[in-house]
Amino acid sequence: MSLAAYCVICCRRMGTSTPPPKSSTYWRDIRNIIKFTGSLILGGSLFITYEVLALKKSLTLDTQVIEREKMKSYIYVHTVSLDKTENHDTFSTVDIEDHDCAVWLLLRKSRSDDRAARLQAVQEMSEARHWHDYQYRIIAQACDMRTLTGLARSKDSDLRFFLRPPPLPSLKEDSSTEEELRHLLASLPQTDLDECIQCFTALALSESSQSLAAQKGGLWCFGGNGLPYAESFGEVPSATVEMFCLEALVKHSEIPTHCDKIEANGGLQLLQRLYQLHKDCPKVQRNIMRILGNMALNEHLHSTIVRSGWVSILAEAIKSQHVMEASHAARTLANLDRETVPDKYHDGVYVLHPQYRTSQPIKADVLFIHGLMGAAFKTWRQQDNDQDLTEKVSEDETKYTTCWPKSWLARDCPALRIISVEYDTSLSDWRARCPTERKSIAFRSNELLRKLRAAGVGDRPVVWVSHSMGGLLVKKMLLEASKKPEMNTIINNTRGIIFYSVPHHGSHLAEYSVNIRYLLFPSLEVKELSKDSPALKTLQDDFLEFAKDKNFQVLSFVETLPTYIGSMIKLHVVPLDSADLGLGDLIPVDVNHLNICKPKKKDAFLYQRTLQFIRDALAKDLEN
């Protein structure tokens, strides 16, 4: 208003003033215009400044609130030792909002000296369903190794609990993952090794030429699935060399001191890089998981494995729909989880149920032992179309149906721990995974017995389920355990045995292989199945007397149909008389040797009779 009045007065003065002389009028008009314009600009500037200041005052933000919100997404805490003698109170002075109290209280509870309180805290975290993203990140960044492993082994845990693995170090200039892998293998001790490890190592290191790797790729078996792995000549040579190196590293990782060398030389990061590069190659990923699972047997390496980011990868893998991927991850996580798992699972021993932490008491064990050319998972799938005995069915994940012990038996008997065992076999020496490997039934039984005892087998009632040569291994293991005082618990807790077409008195497969030995070069395993084998007869006689003395419950199935071996050979692998142990029921089934342990569906007689036997054998134990 004052500005407008001033302008009006100036205009009136200009209009009412006496006209001056023309010479002075011109300059006076100029001055008046300058005064008017200057007053207008000054007044406008003052008005605008006032309005801006008033607006800024009304829109002022509380920056402290913003900073507090930012801190909710990035929480940094000091590493806390798991040593119980050190008394740390990390969360006693944390300034938090009321709605975040529950998160921090759970974190504090997860580090309690009371084991039950820690387990309860992890369970409550895993059951959280309505948290914000930043609250999951608080847990991910502030929890300790023990809690993180527990969350990974909790079935319902949200994957937001797990941070992404840290960035991997860059490869050396002019280097590749293949070269780094060979360098890692070469850095491991090469002396005082058994012949098989030496063979794998020498073979992997010698494959520096890509053309040589491509030519020799078809001679070996990889993947740990017990079926031949035939490399094609058209496969990428570097991938072939990586497979050789990984298989050698699997063997080395069974030696604790070599695990230390692998970790010290950056093996965990290199394996993680390979795992990410080969997401579409299950064989490579399974070998990497086998190495990691072996390293996790050494408790002093647990913190390094967790810091390297592997737990987040394992937490995702254990939720996979593919039984092999989930089971390999479950084995590694179980070896990392010293909070709830006192047992150790060596290479080839896989828990099918329970793979997560559970409040369900485990009252008994059921062990599945596959046979010649079998595998820990594929042997126990649902029945599918007739397959060649030598067909690489386990190489094609898309054709995989299910694993009935994991999906059916676990649901029908949730109080069981279900274990499937894997070991390598071959029909002929030229298809063997290791050309220097000559493992008899006696050798394999002692090796498996040691691994199973480490897994806690014998601490609770046991039922053994075996197919083909696996039944002979079970018999030999039980006889060997009876001779060792530290293994007596296995004998005392054995409640029953199921034999699926086990050649107690030999197999025609051995006779056929010997007759065409120039084609098959029968392996030691096949030779031991010969009807005139003294070792097989001694095993049968000794076990029959032993089983009667211990009053073992026994159920046997036998095939009635021949099995195709290759495209031209048709053979009745285990005839009726050979499958008769001389103890318990013997039930003929109209299937071939491969399908005798593969029920067509859940309500099929084969599965229902198996389920009935397991329930009857463990009836008293499951009731308690």
Side-chain angles (χ1 to χ4, degrees), residues 46 109 163 184 285 324 333 404 467:
L46 292 173
K109 189 177 179 181
L163 299 174
L184 174 64
Q285 291 194 333
M324 282 184 277
L333 285 171
W404 62 263
H467 173 235

Side-chain angles (χ1 to χ4, degrees), residues 103-229:
V103 175
W104 288 99
L105 287 174
L106 282 176
L107 277 169
R108 183 168 184 169
K109 189 177 179 181
S110 70
R111 298 192 179 190
S112 168
D113 291 334
D114 183 5
R115 177 178 176 273
R118 295 195 301 268
L119 296 179
Q120 180 66 27
V122 172
Q123 182 179 348
E124 291 179 18
M125 289 178 188
S126 67
E127 293 173 352
R129 292 292 176 273
H130 306 292
W131 285 357
H132 299 289
D133 285 348
Y134 78 85
Q135 291 173 308
Y136 287 103
R137 287 195 292 271
I138 288 174
I139 300 291
Q141 297 181 74
C143 71
D144 59 10
M145 177 183 72
R146 188 167 48 197
T147 303
L148 188 66
T149 304
L151 288 170
R153 293 197 69 239
S154 299
K155 186 175 183 179
D156 299 322
S157 287
D158 194 297
L159 290 179
R160 286 175 290 180
F161 279 122
F162 309 98
L163 299 174
R164 291 182 178 179
L168 296 173
S170 301
L171 290 174
K172 297 178 182 178
E173 189 176 355
D174 298 330
S175 183
S176 65
T177 54
E178 173 196 341
E179 292 172 351
E180 292 290 329
L181 195 59
R182 286 204 301 254
H183 179 74
L184 174 64
L185 183 59
S187 69
L188 300 178
Q190 306 298 322
T191 57
D192 299 328
L193 304 176
D194 66 38
E195 292 183 353
C196 199
I197 297 180
Q198 290 180 3
C199 172
F200 276 115
T201 303
L203 186 63
L205 294 177
S206 69
E207 295 299 302
S208 57
S209 169
Q210 292 186 355
S211 60
L212 184 60
Q215 291 175 5
K216 293 192 174 182
L219 299 179
W220 310 101
C221 168
F222 296 96
N225 51 28
L227 291 176
Y229 175 78

